[in-house]
């Protein structure tokens, strides 16, 4: 086992089995993992039935980044950075769901429509050179897979088929797009994110009287969500 892998190339560390202990404790490696492993990959945000109507939204707290998934009046599902274009303030509560007629920043009341376009910027009407059309929310790629909504937090959409791998064959028979949310439980775990993934990656699905499907999904930043859904 090589415990001296070049930290500048974290992808090589994962060729080691098991991982060296230092990989769970090193702050510099954590920064690189976030930059090169988490941000470039597709991240799960919510189920389609949580955002089925115009104005419905779900947010994801991804350590240093926050993401919004919202359905527009045109019924299109979009992803945005959860940050106002004015001062970068959080727009919608992290880790929540709900419905809005518009997105209004709680800091200086900049407002955006459901497609992310800036509609109002108080006291900026007479600012020379200010162009509202250039100040829309930063949009992120969205991919819907069997009812599950994923976002590319880096803004670059990589090959989703390659990302999901053989999970397609595993998930397809469960008709996950027909599920609806019943309840959620959130646990905050003070541990390196890899420990959560390693301990729960085998938890895929649990049937209960053919009506309940419990799906465990690992999250970045020491959190683990368990979703209970009922087939309709």
């Amino acid at each position: 086992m090589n415990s001296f892998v070049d930290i500048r190339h974290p992808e090589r560390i994962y060729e080691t089995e098991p991982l060296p202990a230092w990989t769970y404790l090193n702050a510099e490696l954590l920064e690189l993992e976030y930059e090169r492993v988490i941000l470039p990959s597709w991240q799960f945000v919510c189920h389609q039935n949580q955002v089925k109507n115009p104005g419905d939204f779900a947010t994801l707290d991804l350590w240093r980044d926050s993401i919004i998934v919202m359905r527009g009046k045109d019924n299109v599902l979009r992803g945005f950075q959860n940050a106002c274009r004015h001062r970068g303030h959080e727009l919608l509560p992290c880790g929540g769901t709900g419905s809005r007629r518009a997105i209004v920043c709680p800091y200086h009341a900049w407002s955006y429509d459901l497609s992310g376009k800036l509609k109002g910027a108080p006291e900026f009407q007479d600012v020379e050179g200010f162009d509202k059309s250039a100040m829309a929310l930063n949009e992120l790629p969205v991919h819907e897979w069997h009812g599950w909504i994923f976002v590319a937090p880096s803004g670059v959409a990589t090959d989703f088929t390659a990302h999901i791998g053989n999970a397609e064959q595993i998930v397809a028979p469960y008709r996950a797009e027909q599920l609806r949310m019943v309840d959620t439980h959130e646990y905050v775990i003070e541990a390196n994110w890899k420990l959560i993934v390693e301990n729960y990656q085998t938890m895929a699905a649990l049937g209960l009287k053919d009506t309940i499907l419990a799906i465990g999904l690992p999250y970045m930043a020491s959190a683990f969500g368990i979703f209970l859904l009922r087939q309709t």
Side-chain angles (χ1 to χ4, degrees):
M1 180 175 66
N2 183 7
S3 298
F4 300 97
V5 178
D6 189 343
I7 196 171
R8 294 170 298 178
H9 300 282
E11 64 276 5
R12 298 177 186 172
I13 296 171
Y14 307 105
E15 300 173 2
T16 304
E17 183 62 39
L19 292 177
W22 70 266
T23 64
Y24 298 89
L25 303 171
N26 188 281
E28 185 179 354
L29 176 61
L30 181 61
E31 296 280 352
L32 288 172
E33 287 175 328
Y34 187 69
E35 176 186 342
R36 301 186 186 182
V37 179
I38 302 300
L39 288 182
S41 63
W42 291 94
Q43 298 296 324
F44 168 74
V45 180
C46 64
H47 189 270
Q48 66 177 8
N49 282 329
Q50 295 175 272
V51 287
K52 60 183 179 181
N53 300 312
D56 288 354
F57 73 88
T59 58
L60 172 66
D61 182 14
L62 194 65
W63 194 17
R64 293 178 178 171
D65 295 84
S66 182
I67 295 168
I68 300 172
V69 167
M70 174 171 274
R71 193 169 297 279
K73 290 183 178 180
D74 55 3
N75 210 40
V76 173
L77 202 60
R78 296 179 177 87
F80 305 109
Q81 291 180 350
N82 189 12
C84 183
R85 292 297 305 278
H86 182 210
R87 297 292 187 227
H89 196 282
E90 177 185 286
L91 294 167
L92 297 173
C94 288
T97 58
S99 186
R100 295 285 192 277
R101 294 182 180 180
I103 302 173
V104 180
C105 181
Y107 193 14
H108 291 111
W110 278 36
S111 60
Y112 305 84
D113 66 17
L114 302 185
S115 67
K117 295 179 181 178
L118 180 65
K119 304 303 292 183
E123 301 183 12
F124 273 75
Q125 299 89 334
D126 301 323
V127 174
E128 185 177 355
F130 181 71
D131 182 6
K132 286 199 305 183
S133 64
M135 300 298 288
L137 294 179
N138 292 320
E139 192 162 351
L140 302 172
V142 174
H143 189 91
E144 185 174 340
W145 177 70
H146 292 290
W148 305 106
I149 309 301
F150 293 79
V151 170
S154 68
V156 179
T158 57
D159 184 0
F160 188 82
T161 301
H163 172 78
I164 213 68
N166 64 357
E168 172 68 30
Q169 302 172 4
I170 299 172
V171 172
Y174 289 98
R175 295 174 290 130
E177 62 277 0
Q178 298 180 21
L179 300 174
R180 64 181 179 83
M181 183 67 69
V182 173
D183 195 9
T184 64
H185 301 272
E186 182 175 306
Y187 304 89
V188 178
I189 303 174
E190 296 183 0
N192 183 273
W193 70 279
K194 293 188 293 297
L195 287 173
I196 310 305
V197 174
E198 291 166 353
N199 278 276
Y200 290 101
Q201 65 182 343
T202 56
M203 181 179 176
L206 173 64
L208 179 60
K209 297 183 178 178
D210 296 324
T211 60
I212 299 293
L213 182 67
I215 299 179
L217 295 165
Y219 277 88
M220 176 61 178
S222 301
F224 180 79
I226 299 177
F227 293 81
L228 304 179
L229 302 105
R230 184 184 302 275
Q231 287 185 315
T232 56

